[in-house]
Amino acid sequence: MNQKSNNIIERYFFWIAISLLIKSLVVLLLMYNLDLLQNDGLLGICNGDCPDYLHTAQNLANTGTFGRLADGKVHPYAGRMPGYDVVLAPLFLFFDDFWVKNLAYILQIILSAISTYFLAKTAYLIFHSARFFYLTFFIYAINSFITFYDLFILTESFCVSALIIGIYLFIAGKNHWYYIFSGAFLTWAILMRPYILPLLVLFCLYLFYTHFYQQKKSLFNVLKILVSFNSIFLINEVIWTARNYVHFNKFIPVVTDVHAGLKEGKFLALMEFVQAWGGDMVGWNPEAEITLFYKVPQINHLPTKYKSFEDLPAYIFTPAYNTDSLQKIKLLYAMADDPAVSAKEKMIADLEVTQMLRRYRNSFMEEKPFYFRVVAPLRLLPKFLLHSGSYNISNTPFAKQNLFQKFIKISYSALYYFVLLIGFSFAFYALFHFRQMPLAYWLMLLIPLYIVTLCPLVLRRIEYRYFITAYPYLTILACYMLNLVLSYFIKPNQSRLG
């Protein structure tokens, strides 16, 4: 590595300042596009799960209990882990709701800027080239796909920043403190997004192989490194599991379920019915099949992709139900939500529609196991990945946007597909250079492959924001492929693997 380039890259205050400047410009652009500049002083957006996070964080600050308020009492909660609450709760001790939200947005932007530098530094450590640092730094810094979530009270921003910093410390691995802090940041990411937990096993296997087999360290030294890396996670896991056992008399090492503790009822039953045959159950997405059954108020003004139940694939139906049956489901669902209907009638409608949905789901699983196990998850995969990539950067429909807004949207869609397609093309390149490929390269590939396998194929949850934990590492891989092209023009004789 060139010493001059190394000295420039190590100027972390300089690079973080540049990153903060770029991120701030992207944030201002998003605020302009999303009409947040006239938001009464609030920097970001609070909808969806935001009130729930504020609610549990405030309860934690006021009572010391991570839980939800009901009947005038805070009831312990394990539908989520408290990774986001540990940031918000201390703020509630000194500030009101308005300032807690604004401070959260500011902290997210700052940490996102810091993580941009560490992502580029990770690329530099792996590929040993200053060009990878510059490419990764600027391509990631200008993205809107993740920066958008810096303006939301959701776990995504802090989670992806914690993941990036944790993996940088892991790759750097200069001493035991690096591994301890790496494990701490990764633990924080897991406390916000528990599906990251299996990556911890992947990192442990990587540590064992590189230190024991490649570097020939003694087993005792390798075990010390593994203990350092896992120590913070294990401490947190013991505390969390013990806490859950005390409150719920159950062994809950992570969370109660994948639906954030959502209680049995019409909404949960509908989501799982739609998931069973490969439909999108994300209510805010106008292209989701779930909108045939109900539409959330935020998208009432938008046209939906599916107009009637006849638009659904024929394979989803069984002898137990047809389009008329689903139309009845829709009517009962609406009745259970209708404010004009009495509480007793609502309860009866909720119970009836829940039972029908459970019966129809079981019928589909029994009658069409191949479609349930194979076709349905594969149907979700392209839905998860193939979208504009800039669906969230403006409140104005594309046709009504001005030329500048249209240019921005098209540019960010192009950037998303560059990262997605060129990044994943690395997988095909790697197959033909299997023996030459250092293990760290495979680690960068396995992270996005895990996310893309888990969300649509295993969990059948395809909300686009779940992809952001894969996006940084696809950015690195896309930059690697871009560098292969650039190397032909800049240094024709340069090694293709470095």
Side-chain angles (χ1 to χ4, degrees):
M1 283 185 265
N2 183 287
Q3 188 59 42
K4 183 179 178 182
S5 296
N6 186 59
N7 291 339
I8 294 172
I9 289 168
E10 292 298 329
R11 294 169 60 189
Y12 53 90
F13 278 122
F14 169 78
W15 288 109
I16 291 172
I18 295 294
S19 174
L20 190 56
L21 174 62
I22 296 172
K23 285 280 183 184
S24 298
L25 292 174
V26 175
V27 164
L28 285 172
L29 175 64
L30 291 172
M31 290 180 71
Y32 160 74
N33 253 14
L34 295 165
D35 302 319
L36 295 178
L37 295 175
Q38 295 85 35
N39 203 20
D40 298 326
L42 194 65
L43 298 176
I45 300 167
C46 182
N47 59 25
D49 291 336
C50 168
D52 198 33
Y53 285 114
L54 294 172
H55 173 70
T56 53
Q58 194 162 25
N59 291 336
L60 181 60
N62 293 339
T63 68
T65 299
F66 176 59
R68 289 172 164 173
L69 187 65
D71 305 320
K73 184 179 177 183
V74 175
H75 298 269
Y77 172 59
R80 291 191 178 104
M81 299 181 86
Y84 203 60
D85 300 76
V86 296
V87 178
L88 296 182
L91 299 178
F92 272 114
L93 295 174
F94 304 100
F95 303 100
D96 61 18
D97 184 83
F98 175 85
W99 278 106
V100 167
K101 285 187 275 193
N102 269 350
L103 287 170
Y105 300 135
I106 291 168
L107 288 172
Q108 287 177 168
I109 292 166
I110 292 171
L111 194 61
S112 181
I114 293 170
S115 70
T116 299
Y117 170 72
F118 284 115
L119 183 73
K121 190 80 181 292
T122 301
Y124 178 60
L125 290 177
I126 290 173
F127 298 114
H128 311 295
S129 168
R131 193 189 302 169
F132 283 106
F133 176 88
Y134 300 128
L135 285 173
T136 303
F137 182 89
F138 287 106
I139 289 174
Y140 186 73
I142 64 172
N143 91 84
S144 69
F145 190 69
I146 291 176
T147 304
F148 172 79
Y149 291 101
D150 296 341
L151 295 174
F152 265 84
I153 303 295
L154 291 171
T155 58
E156 272 64 31
S157 178
F158 279 147
C159 177
V160 76
S161 294
L163 186 66
I164 289 169
I165 296 170
I167 291 177
Y168 162 74
L169 293 168
F170 178 83
I171 295 295
K174 293 181 180 179
N175 53 49
H176 286 280
W177 284 109
Y178 270 70
Y179 289 118
I180 289 171
F181 281 107
S182 170
F185 274 102
L186 292 173
T187 298
W188 184 31
I190 291 166
L191 289 174
M192 289 182 279
R193 280 288 163 200
Y195 62 72
I196 294 171
L197 177 56
L199 289 178
L200 210 62
V201 178
L202 176 65
F203 296 146
C204 288
L205 293 173
Y206 177 89
L207 273 178
F208 187 82
Y209 183 82
T210 54
H211 286 77
F212 187 69
Y213 286 101
Q214 291 186 339
Q215 299 178 25
K216 306 299 181 184
K217 291 183 179 178
S218 70
L219 183 59
F220 178 73
N221 284 331
V222 174
L223 289 176
K224 282 202 301 183
I225 292 171
L226 286 169
V227 169
S228 298
F229 177 62
N230 289 285
S231 57
I232 303 298
F233 171 75
L234 292 173
I235 291 168
N236 276 273
E237 184 64 11
V238 168
I239 294 170
W240 175 249
T241 305
R243 173 260 188 194
N244 290 338
Y245 192 82
V246 168
H247 288 302
F248 307 107
N249 200 29
K250 291 181 182 177
F251 178 69
I252 305 173
V254 187
V255 291
T256 52
D257 56 75
V258 298
H259 299 296
L262 184 65
K263 292 182 179 179
E264 176 67 359
K266 69 182 192 305
F267 185 58
L268 179 60
L270 178 59
M271 286 198 309
E272 294 185 342
F273 171 67
V274 173
Q275 283 178 313
W277 41 263
D280 186 348
M281 56 81 170
V282 179
W284 58 259
N285 185 354
E287 297 194 353
E289 289 87 344
I290 201 169
T291 58
L292 282 170
F293 297 90
Y294 87 106
K295 285 179 71 173
V296 295
Q298 299 96 304
I299 65 167
N300 276 336
H301 65 291
L302 298 174
T304 52
K305 178 179 178 180
Y306 295 93
K307 308 300 181 185
S308 72
F309 291 111
E310 284 78 10
D311 294 337
L312 295 174
Y315 78 80
I316 80 158
F317 297 100
T318 75
Y321 62 94
N322 54 26
T323 55
D324 291 336
S325 309
L326 298 187
Q327 187 63 39
K328 184 179 180 182
I329 291 282
K330 182 174 182 175
L331 294 173
L332 282 169
Y333 201 98
M335 182 186 294
D337 276 343
D338 191 343
V341 173
S342 70
K344 184 178 180 180
E345 288 176 308
K346 281 185 180 182
M347 187 173 65
I348 292 170
D350 191 308
L351 180 61
E352 185 178 357
V353 76
T354 300
Q355 291 174 342
M356 290 172 68
L357 286 165
R358 290 297 182 207
R359 191 165 65 250
Y360 296 165
R361 180 176 184 267
N362 290 337
S363 169
F364 180 79
M365 292 165 61
E366 292 167 5
E367 296 277 342
K368 300 186 177 182
F370 176 75
Y371 283 97
F372 172 70
R373 298 184 185 281
V374 179
V375 175
L378 288 177
R379 190 171 183 267
L380 290 172
L381 181 60
K383 289 173 176 284
F384 184 53
L385 299 174
L386 303 180
H387 50 80
S388 71
S390 59
Y391 61 92
N392 51 12
I393 68 171
S394 177
N395 289 329
T396 308
F398 185 76
K400 296 182 179 180
Q401 292 177 13
N402 59 42
L403 286 177
F404 174 70
Q405 289 174 312
K406 287 179 178 178
F407 172 76
I408 292 299
K409 181 172 177 61
I410 292 170
S411 298
Y412 272 128
S413 290
L415 180 61
Y416 172 78
Y417 275 98
F418 164 75
V419 171
L420 176 71
L421 300 179
I422 306 303
F424 272 126
S425 71
F426 177 88
F428 298 100
Y429 178 84
L431 290 175
F432 293 99
H433 299 82
F434 186 87
R435 293 172 182 261
Q436 300 166 268
M437 203 69 69
L439 195 59
Y441 291 24
W442 289 105
L443 189 64
M444 293 297 99
L445 177 60
L446 286 172
I447 294 169
L449 283 178
Y450 165 72
I451 298 299
V452 168
T453 301
L454 178 75
C455 293
L457 302 183
V458 179
L459 298 179
R460 306 190 188 205
R461 298 179 69 88
I462 58 169
E463 196 164 347
Y464 301 150
R465 62 193 172 108
Y466 298 157
F467 185 61
I468 74 166
T469 45
Y471 191 90
Y473 301 99
L474 278 179
T475 301
I476 290 178
L477 298 179
C479 289
Y480 179 89
M481 300 304 290
L482 177 60
N483 181 67
L484 288 178
V485 176
L486 293 176
S487 65
Y488 282 102
F489 298 98
I490 298 172
K491 290 183 180 180
N493 297 319
Q494 178 178 316
S495 167
R496 295 295 178 260
L497 287 174

